[in-house]
Amino acid sequence: MGERDKYAKLVELAKRRGFFWPSFEIYGGVSGFYDLGPLGTLLKENIKRLWLDYFVTKHSDMVVAIETPMITPEIVFKASGHLESFTDPIVSCNKCGRVFRADQLIEDALGIKVEGKTPEELTKIIKEKGVKCPVCGGELGEVRTFNLLFQTYIGPYSRDRGYLRPEAAQGMFLAFKRVHTVMRSKLPLGIGQIGRVARNEISPRQSMIRLREFTIMEVEFFFDPSEKYSPPFERFNSRLNILTAEDRLKGVEKPTTYDAEEAVKEGVVKNEWLAYWMVVSKEFVKELGVAEEETFFEEKLPDERAHYATQTFDQMVKVSRWGWVEVSGHAYRGDYDLSRHMKFSGQDLTVFKRFPEP
Ligand SMILES: [Zn+2]
């Protein structure tokens, strides 16, 4: 049985048994939206409970959970940089008018990776290599950017623009100072959240893997960068499979196995907490049934990283139909978010450190 057949059979079975099916089915469906059926809902609750256990309960000495709104006023995403940078490149066909995600189109047509290239660079590739519309064969126009935030209005005034959040993280940054006070002003402090998010993907394919609305599970972890910490690596098996950006640039495709603490010492992972939460994430995914050799952390190249990050790893998991897919992102965001929100809100979000001796 080919992978394609196996995948089609599985999707069919999921539908029949009540795990998931396309939303708005009687109107023909809208891509990127799925309903969870009776069994799917129960399965998802189990996954959420396991995540809470790994990331919050097992770390009740330093992590708490909160819940914040999905609809967010515009100023928040101005401050976070999403209004400007949360975009994907698109290109339209001059003949039939269809719109495509430019990087996917090029990758499909030429089999090369172009993640992180600018619209100008993508336009150049399309022109030079003669990439055409995959539907009608027509000429393609210039590549431009498309913002993935879903827009709405808050209340009756059209000037009060809001957006559906594309990640839960901003809720944690905005609540940081309050949570820090409530939790007796201790650092390090992790704030976790499980909630709905929405991203206006250009052409979601890959079934349940790329959705326009989904549930995200996130932790933002705050610490004092001047402090030397020893994360509790002994709580878990701390082996990590990592494919570094340096190796990727050399054409290496196989990840290297490190002990997490060694990876920090050798500078492969730039921060001890980043390495620690990668370990927890690997253990969590393992408990979901993914073997250790079928997951690794891929370091993003500088031009592939999100606008806020200084080092990012994507946790990849092998899926028979789609190959390696990203299941979690681990970004070292520094103080980018808090300092941007301080600037845009005019509020002081710094916290005092208590020293043992006065
Ligand atoms: Zn066309």
Side-chain angles (χ1 to χ4, degrees), residues 25 28 31 58 61 65 117 121 150 157 166 200 214 228 237 247 266 298 311 317 326 332 342 353:
E25 223 178 356
S31 62
K58 279 190 198 327
D61 49 339
K117 293 233 184 300
E121 290 168 327
F150 275 102
Y157 302 105
N200 201 3
F214 58 97
K228 188 87 199 85
N237 166 350
D247 274 354
E266 288 174 28
E298 180 184 84
Q311 188 179 33
V317 161
E326 175 196 348
Y332 186 25
M342 277 173 64
K353 181 155 118 183

Side-chain angles (χ1 to χ4, degrees), residues 55 109-110 134 142 144 176 190 240-241 268 280 284 287 319 330:
F55 288 85
L110 306 172
E142 301 274 309
R144 53 195 198 279
F176 164 67
L240 287 175
N241 300 326
V268 171
V280 179
F284 167 66
E287 182 137 4
V319 180
H330 299 256

Side-chain angles (χ1 to χ4, degrees), residues 93 95-98 100 133 135-138:
C93 169
K95 198 166 150 204
C96 72
R98 283 187 176 82
F100 304 95
C133 170
V135 180
C136 78

Side-chain angles (χ1 to χ4, degrees), residues 20-23 30-36 44 148 150 166 196-215:
F20 61 85
W21 52 77
S23 303
V30 178
S31 62
F33 296 93
Y34 276 85
D35 288 356
L36 292 181
K44 180 175 164 180
L148 303 185
F150 275 102
R196 299 293 278 181
V197 297
R199 299 174 180 186
N200 201 3
E201 298 284 351
I202 293 152
S203 51
R205 317 187 272 188
Q206 305 185 318
S207 169
M208 293 287 276
I209 292 176
R210 200 168 278 275
L211 296 174
R212 285 181 165 137
E213 185 185 326
F214 58 97
T215 299

Side-chain angles (χ1 to χ4, degrees), residues 82 139 188 266 286:
H82 284 83
E139 289 285 330
E266 288 174 28
K286 192 157 91 187

Side-chain angles (χ1 to χ4, degrees), residues 16 25-26 43 92 102 135 138 174 189 204 237 241 252 263 271 317 323-324 349:
R16 236 180 20 243
E25 223 178 356
I26 65 165
L43 177 64
S92 351
V135 180
L174 299 181
L189 170 67
N237 166 350
N241 300 326
V252 177
N271 175 271
V317 161
W324 293 100
L349 299 178

